[in-house]
Amino acid sequence: MIQLDHVTYTYPQAKHPALSDISLEITESSLVAIVGPSGAGKSSLCALLAGFIPHHFHGILQGRALVHGQDIANTPLAELVTHVGYVFQNPFTQLSGAKLTTREEIAFGLENLGVPRLEMAERVDRVIELFSLRDIANRSPYEISGGEMQRVALASIFVMKPRVLVLDEPTAQLDPLGARQVFEAIRTLTNTQSVTVIIVEDKTEWIATFADRVITLHEGRVVLDGSPDAVLTSPLLAEIGIRVSHYTQAARAASRHRLWPSELALPTTLDKAIDGFKRARKKYENLG
Amino acid sequence: MKISVNDLHFAYPNGVEVLRELSFEISSGERVAIIGQNGAGKSTLVKHFNGLLKPSRGFVTIGDWDTQSHTVAQMAQRVGFLFQNPDEQIFKRRVFDEVAFGPSNLGLSPEEIERHVSAALSRVGLSDMREMHPYDLLPARRKLVALASVLAMETPILVLDEPTIGQDGRGLARLGALIDDLTQQGKTIITISHDMDFCAEHFERIMVMKQGRMLIDGATHDVFARFELLAEAFLEPPQMTRLGRALGLPETVTTVNEFLGAYAKTREPRH
Ligand SMILES: Nc1ncnc2c1ncn2[C@@H]1O[C@H](COP(=O)(O)OP(=O)(O)OP(=O)(O)O)[C@@H](O)[C@H]1O
Ligand SMILES: Nc1ncnc2c1ncn2[C@@H]1O[C@H](COP(=O)(O)OP(=O)(O)O)[C@@H](O)[C@H]1O
Ligand SMILES: [Mg+2]
Ligand SMILES: [Mg+2]
């Protein structure tokens, strides 16, 4: 479990806090999506959960943040990284710079832990398969495409099997199928391995399909927290500048012309959009 | 200014052949989106438009210039280029200097440079940030600084490699409006994106790449109507196209407005 209790954090020399009075609890095995406009504090929240705040970024941290009962501020980063996996927003910064092939890059963390060679090879093979990296396994991690590098960054964390995964926009450069595969993979981990996942993401279709809960940040504060359907269809999203899916946009516009059933919530996925627009049509035909 | 690609093949020094048998033209003023799986060769292809990469076989011409016989600095007068990773592009310590770098290389006067830079920064919404260090900006903003340096060159052709990455709803809307506006001015825009909904809203021609080859190249509606072929490239049509198809709308729709128009029509009283 993750627990934040009135957490406020200000970067060194910053005028305003990046995180303001955040209190929340995240239960084990849940998949929580974080959304918010640029600068809302999403990456800062990730950095805190992974212990980079306050161990790497100093500044002023107030309140209490616990991961599995351990106070993040009092637990050394070296210990935190063994159970919290953190995928940075920029995959380039994730590369160790010490390895000649993507396979070695992915194995780097396990190697440091002294995991036996055979087990290491098996685990590395599994994530190479999971993220479709077979063709580039023997290439330099610097001579690959942007999306491939993002897959390598994900694989190098997944292979560590952390109990908590903190993913900062991990699908930004992935193709549509790759993005779906990441969501399927993390859903499997939460369901079968009791892993807890916190993911910053703007692809609402996948959030709606896979997440248990969505937290919206704005100017360092939690402004919405609830089920994907409730949060992702809130009119507040567009107001504060968050991406809104075309399904939701279409239904919202349609509802103004009574082309969407008034009793139905706005849709976030294809299935819900089909259902609503079909119902609206039937209703109309019955009237006619 | 026309872009011509003729039997282009390309292999990186490690020997992997990444582009194969590409031949096409892009006319002046076209808006083209290039889509495809990770590793399909999209970034590699567009790096041939500004001469960063040279063909292993075949040739690429920009107007009357063959990229083979022109330097990257020369090409920069015709083709503005936004990198997928802005950090590959940004190297000055001040936003203003970063955006002014290209125009100063063109030998413009200080007044002209000032005009170019101010106009470019205001178009991306960063006028207030001209004195800042680019690395103190959020990644999404850094991408906009890089975009401003591209705009400041006022080239007839702009190549944008994944400009939508990390942009929030507001950034996306601004980018879309900017692309529409540049088209109005007659610029050629070539964009790579994994966001099909964005491509549908702002581009008239779509190129689908798969393993270094061109799988489909055509008008946006025609390309997005081809569900099976797109699936072959592991892609999905835009949300509105899928919804329209599932509801049995008679025409292919790709944007929210098209969907609403077509849907409303199916409900008009039949006589
Ligand atoms: N510097 C390089 N040296 C060798 N091979 C490379 C290099 N950069 C990319 N490649 C390879 O060339 C192929 C095409 O890469 P490219 O970057 O053009 O893909 P892309 O379509 O832009 O993908 P993405 O959507 O991930 O950005 C990939 O197989 C990649 O591994
Ligand atoms: N390393 C840093 N040093 C100082 N300020 C930072 C740093 N990283 C982020 N900030 C500031 O913290 C705020 C939140 O940023 P961030 O968490 O990166 O937002 P998001 O990920 O939601 O875009 C912004 O005002 C940003 O400028
Ligand atoms: Mg961020
Ligand atoms: Mg690319």
Side-chain angles (χ1 to χ4, degrees), chain A residues 126-134 150-152 154-156 158-159 174 178 181-182 185:
Chain A
R126 217 171 303 141
V127 293
I128 282 179
E129 218 42 56
L130 185 63
F131 292 104
S132 318
L133 292 170
R134 208 169 344 140
Q150 192 152 41
R151 290 162 190 262
V152 171
L154 278 159
S156 67
F158 271 59
V159 77
L174 296 193
Q181 284 169 339
V182 167

PDB file of all heavy atoms in Angstrom, chain A residues 126-134 150-152 154-156 158-159 174 178 181-182 185:
ATOM      1  N   ARG A 126      12.245 -13.285 -21.411  1.00  0.00           N
ATOM      2  CA  ARG A 126      10.802 -13.094 -21.256  1.00  0.00           C
ATOM      3  C   ARG A 126      10.385 -11.638 -21.563  1.00  0.00           C
ATOM      4  O   ARG A 126       9.420 -11.401 -22.274  1.00  0.00           O
ATOM      5  CB  ARG A 126      10.359 -13.506 -19.844  1.00  0.00           C
ATOM      6  CG  ARG A 126       8.993 -14.181 -19.878  1.00  0.00           C
ATOM      7  CD  ARG A 126       8.615 -14.802 -18.542  1.00  0.00           C
ATOM      8  NE  ARG A 126       9.585 -15.773 -18.077  1.00  0.00           N
ATOM      9  CZ  ARG A 126       9.956 -15.914 -16.787  1.00  0.00           C
ATOM     10  NH1 ARG A 126       9.434 -15.124 -15.864  1.00  0.00           N
ATOM     11  NH2 ARG A 126      10.834 -16.820 -16.448  1.00  0.00           N
ATOM     12  N   VAL A 127      11.120 -10.670 -21.042  1.00  0.00           N
ATOM     13  CA  VAL A 127      10.721  -9.275 -21.323  1.00  0.00           C
ATOM     14  C   VAL A 127      11.045  -8.871 -22.772  1.00  0.00           C
ATOM     15  O   VAL A 127      10.353  -8.037 -23.351  1.00  0.00           O
ATOM     16  CB  VAL A 127      11.304  -8.238 -20.331  1.00  0.00           C
ATOM     17  CG1 VAL A 127      10.727  -8.426 -18.951  1.00  0.00           C
ATOM     18  CG2 VAL A 127      12.814  -8.248 -20.324  1.00  0.00           C
ATOM     19  N   ILE A 128      12.067  -9.476 -23.337  1.00  0.00           N
ATOM     20  CA  ILE A 128      12.385  -9.187 -24.747  1.00  0.00           C
ATOM     21  C   ILE A 128      11.201  -9.622 -25.617  1.00  0.00           C
ATOM     22  O   ILE A 128      10.787  -8.910 -26.529  1.00  0.00           O
ATOM     23  CB  ILE A 128      13.702  -9.887 -25.157  1.00  0.00           C
ATOM     24  CG1 ILE A 128      14.885  -9.076 -24.607  1.00  0.00           C
ATOM     25  CG2 ILE A 128      13.799 -10.035 -26.673  1.00  0.00           C
ATOM     26  CD1 ILE A 128      16.243  -9.645 -24.901  1.00  0.00           C
ATOM     27  N   GLU A 129      10.633 -10.751 -25.259  1.00  0.00           N
ATOM     28  CA  GLU A 129       9.442 -11.251 -25.951  1.00  0.00           C
ATOM     29  C   GLU A 129       8.256 -10.313 -25.707  1.00  0.00           C
ATOM     30  O   GLU A 129       7.579  -9.880 -26.637  1.00  0.00           O
ATOM     31  CB  GLU A 129       9.136 -12.652 -25.396  1.00  0.00           C
ATOM     32  CG  GLU A 129       8.661 -13.670 -26.375  1.00  0.00           C
ATOM     33  CD  GLU A 129       9.408 -13.648 -27.704  1.00  0.00           C
ATOM     34  OE1 GLU A 129      10.661 -13.772 -27.730  1.00  0.00           O
ATOM     35  OE2 GLU A 129       8.704 -13.493 -28.706  1.00  0.00           O
ATOM     36  N   LEU A 130       8.048  -9.990 -24.442  1.00  0.00           N
ATOM     37  CA  LEU A 130       6.904  -9.169 -24.023  1.00  0.00           C
ATOM     38  C   LEU A 130       6.880  -7.822 -24.751  1.00  0.00           C
ATOM     39  O   LEU A 130       5.819  -7.338 -25.137  1.00  0.00           O
ATOM     40  CB  LEU A 130       6.981  -8.942 -22.508  1.00  0.00           C
ATOM     41  CG  LEU A 130       5.820  -8.199 -21.840  1.00  0.00           C
ATOM     42  CD1 LEU A 130       4.523  -8.982 -21.983  1.00  0.00           C
ATOM     43  CD2 LEU A 130       6.123  -7.973 -20.358  1.00  0.00           C
ATOM     44  N   PHE A 131       8.034  -7.222 -24.964  1.00  0.00           N
ATOM     45  CA  PHE A 131       8.073  -5.901 -25.593  1.00  0.00           C
ATOM     46  C   PHE A 131       8.551  -5.961 -27.044  1.00  0.00           C
ATOM     47  O   PHE A 131       8.966  -4.949 -27.607  1.00  0.00           O
ATOM     48  CB  PHE A 131       8.935  -4.941 -24.764  1.00  0.00           C
ATOM     49  CG  PHE A 131       8.315  -4.599 -23.439  1.00  0.00           C
ATOM     50  CD1 PHE A 131       8.784  -5.163 -22.266  1.00  0.00           C
ATOM     51  CD2 PHE A 131       7.217  -3.746 -23.378  1.00  0.00           C
ATOM     52  CE1 PHE A 131       8.189  -4.872 -21.045  1.00  0.00           C
ATOM     53  CE2 PHE A 131       6.620  -3.447 -22.164  1.00  0.00           C
ATOM     54  CZ  PHE A 131       7.102  -4.009 -20.993  1.00  0.00           C
ATOM     55  N   SER A 132       8.472  -7.132 -27.649  1.00  0.00           N
ATOM     56  CA  SER A 132       8.820  -7.321 -29.069  1.00  0.00           C
ATOM     57  C   SER A 132      10.188  -6.728 -29.412  1.00  0.00           C
ATOM     58  O   SER A 132      10.315  -5.917 -30.328  1.00  0.00           O
ATOM     59  CB  SER A 132       7.768  -6.679 -29.983  1.00  0.00           C
ATOM     60  OG  SER A 132       6.474  -6.918 -29.518  1.00  0.00           O
ATOM     61  N   LEU A 133      11.199  -7.121 -28.666  1.00  0.00           N
ATOM     62  CA  LEU A 133      12.529  -6.542 -28.859  1.00  0.00           C
ATOM     63  C   LEU A 133      13.524  -7.523 -29.473  1.00  0.00           C
ATOM     64  O   LEU A 133      14.723  -7.253 -29.522  1.00  0.00           O
ATOM     65  CB  LEU A 133      13.079  -6.032 -27.513  1.00  0.00           C
ATOM     66  CG  LEU A 133      12.342  -4.828 -26.932  1.00  0.00           C
ATOM     67  CD1 LEU A 133      12.778  -4.545 -25.495  1.00  0.00           C
ATOM     68  CD2 LEU A 133      12.568  -3.600 -27.803  1.00  0.00           C
ATOM     69  N   ARG A 134      13.021  -8.667 -29.944  1.00  0.00           N
ATOM     70  CA  ARG A 134      13.949  -9.711 -30.387  1.00  0.00           C
ATOM     71  C   ARG A 134      14.892  -9.219 -31.496  1.00  0.00           C
ATOM     72  O   ARG A 134      16.080  -9.452 -31.448  1.00  0.00           O
ATOM     73  CB  ARG A 134      13.184 -10.948 -30.850  1.00  0.00           C
ATOM     74  CG  ARG A 134      14.023 -12.176 -30.656  1.00  0.00           C
ATOM     75  CD  ARG A 134      13.280 -13.495 -30.828  1.00  0.00           C
ATOM     76  NE  ARG A 134      11.837 -13.383 -30.789  1.00  0.00           N
ATOM     77  CZ  ARG A 134      11.036 -14.064 -31.593  1.00  0.00           C
ATOM     78  NH1 ARG A 134      11.531 -14.865 -32.501  1.00  0.00           N
ATOM     79  NH2 ARG A 134       9.732 -13.942 -31.484  1.00  0.00           N
ATOM     80  N   GLN A 150      12.063   3.359 -25.895  1.00  0.00           N
ATOM     81  CA  GLN A 150      11.084   3.376 -24.818  1.00  0.00           C
ATOM     82  C   GLN A 150      10.735   1.942 -24.378  1.00  0.00           C
ATOM     83  O   GLN A 150      10.566   1.663 -23.193  1.00  0.00           O
ATOM     84  CB  GLN A 150       9.824   4.117 -25.276  1.00  0.00           C
ATOM     85  CG  GLN A 150       8.883   4.427 -24.138  1.00  0.00           C
ATOM     86  CD  GLN A 150       8.053   5.672 -24.406  1.00  0.00           C
ATOM     87  OE1 GLN A 150       7.588   5.893 -25.513  1.00  0.00           O
ATOM     88  NE2 GLN A 150       7.864   6.487 -23.388  1.00  0.00           N
ATOM     89  N   ARG A 151      10.667   1.034 -25.347  1.00  0.00           N
ATOM     90  CA  ARG A 151      10.416  -0.370 -25.002  1.00  0.00           C
ATOM     91  C   ARG A 151      11.567  -0.945 -24.175  1.00  0.00           C
ATOM     92  O   ARG A 151      11.351  -1.718 -23.231  1.00  0.00           O
ATOM     93  CB  ARG A 151      10.251  -1.219 -26.266  1.00  0.00           C
ATOM     94  CG  ARG A 151       8.962  -0.939 -27.023  1.00  0.00           C
ATOM     95  CD  ARG A 151       9.079  -1.471 -28.453  1.00  0.00           C
ATOM     96  NE  ARG A 151       7.968  -1.015 -29.254  1.00  0.00           N
ATOM     97  CZ  ARG A 151       6.877  -1.754 -29.495  1.00  0.00           C
ATOM     98  NH1 ARG A 151       6.787  -2.974 -29.033  1.00  0.00           N
ATOM     99  NH2 ARG A 151       5.895  -1.268 -30.208  1.00  0.00           N
ATOM    100  N   VAL A 152      12.803  -0.577 -24.523  1.00  0.00           N
ATOM    101  CA  VAL A 152      13.968  -1.062 -23.776  1.00  0.00           C
ATOM    102  C   VAL A 152      13.913  -0.546 -22.333  1.00  0.00           C
ATOM    103  O   VAL A 152      14.156  -1.287 -21.377  1.00  0.00           O
ATOM    104  CB  VAL A 152      15.290  -0.632 -24.459  1.00  0.00           C
ATOM    105  CG1 VAL A 152      16.493  -0.941 -23.571  1.00  0.00           C
ATOM    106  CG2 VAL A 152      15.438  -1.325 -25.811  1.00  0.00           C
ATOM    107  N   LEU A 154      11.278   0.271 -20.612  1.00  0.00           N
ATOM    108  CA  LEU A 154      10.231  -0.479 -19.908  1.00  0.00           C
ATOM    109  C   LEU A 154      10.726  -1.879 -19.541  1.00  0.00           C
ATOM    110  O   LEU A 154      10.561  -2.338 -18.405  1.00  0.00           O
ATOM    111  CB  LEU A 154       8.988  -0.594 -20.798  1.00  0.00           C
ATOM    112  CG  LEU A 154       8.059   0.613 -20.791  1.00  0.00           C
ATOM    113  CD1 LEU A 154       7.178   0.625 -22.032  1.00  0.00           C
ATOM    114  CD2 LEU A 154       7.176   0.583 -19.540  1.00  0.00           C
ATOM    115  N   ALA A 155      11.362  -2.545 -20.509  1.00  0.00           N
ATOM    116  CA  ALA A 155      11.818  -3.917 -20.294  1.00  0.00           C
ATOM    117  C   ALA A 155      12.842  -3.964 -19.158  1.00  0.00           C
ATOM    118  O   ALA A 155      12.821  -4.879 -18.324  1.00  0.00           O
ATOM    119  CB  ALA A 155      12.420  -4.477 -21.580  1.00  0.00           C
ATOM    120  N   SER A 156      13.725  -2.928 -19.094  1.00  0.00           N
ATOM    121  CA  SER A 156      14.790  -2.968 -18.089  1.00  0.00           C
ATOM    122  C   SER A 156      14.231  -2.805 -16.680  1.00  0.00           C
ATOM    123  O   SER A 156      14.871  -3.194 -15.711  1.00  0.00           O
ATOM    124  CB  SER A 156      15.850  -1.904 -18.395  1.00  0.00           C
ATOM    125  OG  SER A 156      15.298  -0.626 -18.219  1.00  0.00           O
ATOM    126  N   PHE A 158      10.740  -3.790 -15.960  1.00  0.00           N
ATOM    127  CA  PHE A 158       9.858  -4.951 -15.761  1.00  0.00           C
ATOM    128  C   PHE A 158      10.662  -6.188 -15.344  1.00  0.00           C
ATOM    129  O   PHE A 158      10.199  -6.999 -14.552  1.00  0.00           O
ATOM    130  CB  PHE A 158       9.085  -5.266 -17.055  1.00  0.00           C
ATOM    131  CG  PHE A 158       7.776  -4.541 -17.167  1.00  0.00           C
ATOM    132  CD1 PHE A 158       7.734  -3.156 -17.146  1.00  0.00           C
ATOM    133  CD2 PHE A 158       6.583  -5.242 -17.299  1.00  0.00           C
ATOM    134  CE1 PHE A 158       6.522  -2.480 -17.256  1.00  0.00           C
ATOM    135  CE2 PHE A 158       5.375  -4.574 -17.407  1.00  0.00           C
ATOM    136  CZ  PHE A 158       5.341  -3.189 -17.388  1.00  0.00           C
ATOM    137  N   VAL A 159      11.866  -6.320 -15.892  1.00  0.00           N
ATOM    138  CA  VAL A 159      12.660  -7.513 -15.638  1.00  0.00           C
ATOM    139  C   VAL A 159      13.049  -7.620 -14.162  1.00  0.00           C
ATOM    140  O   VAL A 159      13.289  -8.703 -13.651  1.00  0.00           O
ATOM    141  CB  VAL A 159      13.917  -7.510 -16.555  1.00  0.00           C
ATOM    142  CG1 VAL A 159      14.985  -6.555 -16.033  1.00  0.00           C
ATOM    143  CG2 VAL A 159      14.471  -8.910 -16.746  1.00  0.00           C
ATOM    144  N   LEU A 174       5.201   5.059 -28.215  1.00  0.00           N
ATOM    145  CA  LEU A 174       4.884   3.726 -28.725  1.00  0.00           C
ATOM    146  C   LEU A 174       3.803   3.778 -29.798  1.00  0.00           C
ATOM    147  O   LEU A 174       2.930   4.646 -29.783  1.00  0.00           O
ATOM    148  CB  LEU A 174       4.410   2.819 -27.591  1.00  0.00           C
ATOM    149  CG  LEU A 174       5.434   2.522 -26.496  1.00  0.00           C
ATOM    150  CD1 LEU A 174       4.952   1.367 -25.629  1.00  0.00           C
ATOM    151  CD2 LEU A 174       6.800   2.179 -27.084  1.00  0.00           C
ATOM    152  N   GLY A 178       1.672  -1.188 -29.453  1.00  0.00           N
ATOM    153  CA  GLY A 178       2.637  -1.207 -28.353  1.00  0.00           C
ATOM    154  C   GLY A 178       2.026  -0.631 -27.084  1.00  0.00           C
ATOM    155  O   GLY A 178       2.233  -1.151 -25.989  1.00  0.00           O
ATOM    156  N   GLN A 181      -0.309  -3.103 -25.610  1.00  0.00           N
ATOM    157  CA  GLN A 181       0.423  -4.212 -24.988  1.00  0.00           C
ATOM    158  C   GLN A 181       0.971  -3.840 -23.618  1.00  0.00           C
ATOM    159  O   GLN A 181       0.980  -4.660 -22.707  1.00  0.00           O
ATOM    160  CB  GLN A 181       1.571  -4.671 -25.900  1.00  0.00           C
ATOM    161  CG  GLN A 181       1.062  -5.495 -27.074  1.00  0.00           C
ATOM    162  CD  GLN A 181       2.133  -5.735 -28.127  1.00  0.00           C
ATOM    163  OE1 GLN A 181       3.120  -5.002 -28.201  1.00  0.00           O
ATOM    164  NE2 GLN A 181       1.939  -6.763 -28.939  1.00  0.00           N
ATOM    165  N   VAL A 182       1.409  -2.587 -23.462  1.00  0.00           N
ATOM    166  CA  VAL A 182       1.905  -2.152 -22.156  1.00  0.00           C
ATOM    167  C   VAL A 182       0.778  -2.220 -21.133  1.00  0.00           C
ATOM    168  O   VAL A 182       0.941  -2.734 -20.027  1.00  0.00           O
ATOM    169  CB  VAL A 182       2.478  -0.722 -22.222  1.00  0.00           C
ATOM    170  CG1 VAL A 182       2.692  -0.145 -20.822  1.00  0.00           C
ATOM    171  CG2 VAL A 182       3.787  -0.718 -22.998  1.00  0.00           C
ATOM    172  N   ALA A 185       0.009  -5.761 -20.275  1.00  0.00           N
ATOM    173  CA  ALA A 185       1.066  -6.335 -19.430  1.00  0.00           C
ATOM    174  C   ALA A 185       0.933  -5.861 -17.981  1.00  0.00           C
ATOM    175  O   ALA A 185       1.052  -6.666 -17.053  1.00  0.00           O
ATOM    176  CB  ALA A 185       2.435  -5.968 -19.987  1.00  0.00           C
TER     177      ALA A 185
END
